[in-house]
Amino acid sequence: MAPTSDSVLIRAAERLTAADLVQATIKRGDGGRLTIRPVGIKGRRMVQVSAFDGRKTDVKNYATAEFAEEARRLLSGELRSVMVGTAIEELTVQFSRKGRPILSVRRRTEPVEPELTHDRAIERPLPEGKPDRLLQAIGLMTAEGRIKADRRRKFVQINEFIRIVLETGDLKTLGEPPLLILDFGCGNAYLSFALHHYVTEKLGIAAELVGVDRTAEIIERNAAVAASLGVTGISFEVGDIGSHQAARPPAIVVALHACDTATDAALAKALEYEAKLIFAAPCCHHHLQAQPGFLAAGGAHRALLHDGILRERLGDLVTDELRALILRIAGYQVDVIEFTAP
């Protein structure tokens, strides 16, 4: 018998209030994200809850005795996913569109001690200070493990992308390895290189990366970077998104800053392939705004459409919302978030 939502949430609450809690993440239906971890404050063990609503982060600290009631409140309402890590296991719950819980529990190979430091350094999937051959190969890191000053923004962006992927779904449940990651309009493919690197070398999951781009020079450059890494399972192709035919269905489709309708072509291919996870960062919206009569300045919208730059921005919003609606109609759970500031 499949577990009920109530029984799964009771189990998650037990782990959330356990003495050996390491860290937990709760993604809510409204796009909010909660991060929970134990902290030591003035010699007392407390539980810190960081709530991000898409714009700002609020942080509150609770005494362990009063956190039990708060934990139940945090696990109420519409949820997208819950991940609770204790010293000996990781419990993950993904919720379907109908609210059905999908539970997985993974035992740790070795116990993990909670980190109680209150003002700890920012944790990143690919941290600074430790030499990393991928970050060095793409020109972000020095041989000593320092991030170059003019490449820090890209370093932060790479880590944010990996974090989003890890919070979106359990990569171990996407199908039989090797997982295929397909990057449409790959450009320099920094983020996809980093994702493949993290999945294979940090998580130990066999994966393949295929990048597709129309510019031969970029493909040659990426192939050279892949060769310098000396790893297998990375390839690049010169080609058009719409006519691309994958050797097998990809588990993950990525389209980061694919210009104008290239994003739509990538989403269409992802639907055709029935990709498990899709990550798209659109840019350069022009198609919808160019349609005859679209956003004509009249009626109740006259005030909004008086200025050209605002008409363009409204067109951007309509374009991206149509994309999100199409994906939802196709059965996907969709979050629209700010990945990089516009």
Side-chain angles (χ1 to χ4, degrees), residues 96-136:
S96 70
R97 292 182 65 192
K98 295 183 179 180
R100 183 175 66 87
I102 303 170
L103 173 67
S104 64
V105 180
R106 183 176 68 87
R107 299 281 296 185
R108 299 186 190 275
T109 55
E110 295 182 1
V112 174
E113 290 293 326
E115 172 56 67
L116 300 181
T117 304
H118 185 50
D119 297 320
R120 63 179 181 176
I122 297 175
E123 292 185 2
R124 292 191 169 102
L126 299 178
E128 184 176 7
K130 181 179 179 181
D132 185 288
R133 61 175 182 159
L134 181 278
L135 297 179
Q136 292 169 343

Side-chain angles (χ1 to χ4, degrees), residues 9-48:
L9 292 179
I10 289 173
R11 190 169 176 180
E14 291 173 349
R15 302 299 191 280
L16 201 57
T17 55
D20 63 344
L21 174 70
V22 175
Q23 183 164 316
T25 302
I26 300 172
K27 294 187 67 176
R28 305 195 62 83
D30 58 7
R33 184 177 70 250
L34 303 168
T35 302
I36 302 110
R37 70 181 186 94
V39 295
I41 301 177
K42 296 181 179 180
R44 297 176 59 200
R45 188 182 189 280
M46 304 186 74
V47 180
Q48 183 175 91

Side-chain angles (χ1 to χ4, degrees), residues 162 179 181 191-202 205-209 231-234:
I162 295 175
L179 302 180
I181 303 169
L191 275 65
S192 292
F193 265 125
L195 177 60
H196 179 271
H197 175 65
Y198 188 85
V199 168
T200 56
E201 300 202 14
K202 307 300 181 181
I205 302 173
E208 296 177 358
L209 168 64
V231 297
T232 59
I234 299 179

Side-chain angles (χ1 to χ4, degrees), residues 50-127:
S50 301
F52 177 68
D53 63 4
R55 296 178 294 108
K56 65 182 186 303
T57 299
D58 290 326
V59 179
K60 293 184 179 179
N61 299 312
Y62 297 87
T64 53
E66 65 182 11
F67 181 66
E69 181 176 349
E70 179 65 13
R72 289 190 291 271
R73 188 188 71 80
L74 296 178
L75 291 170
S76 63
E78 183 183 355
L79 302 175
R80 303 297 293 274
S81 66
V82 178
M83 190 287 292
V84 186
T86 63
I88 60 173
E89 70 177 22
E90 286 187 355
L91 179 148
T92 303
V93 186
Q94 299 284 339
F95 290 90
S96 70
R97 292 182 65 192
K98 295 183 179 180
R100 183 175 66 87
I102 303 170
L103 173 67
S104 64
V105 180
R106 183 176 68 87
R107 299 281 296 185
R108 299 186 190 275
T109 55
E110 295 182 1
V112 174
E113 290 293 326
E115 172 56 67
L116 300 181
T117 304
H118 185 50
D119 297 320
R120 63 179 181 176
I122 297 175
E123 292 185 2
R124 292 191 169 102
L126 299 178

Side-chain angles (χ1 to χ4, degrees), residues 168-171 173-176 179-180 249-253 270-271 273-279 331-333:
T168 299
D170 185 352
L171 302 186
T173 65
L174 296 186
E176 290 297 322
L179 302 180
L180 177 57
I252 301 174
V253 168
L271 292 177
Y273 294 141
E274 298 183 345
K276 299 295 192 301
L277 301 179
I278 306 171
F279 300 94
Y332 284 84
Q333 294 183 359

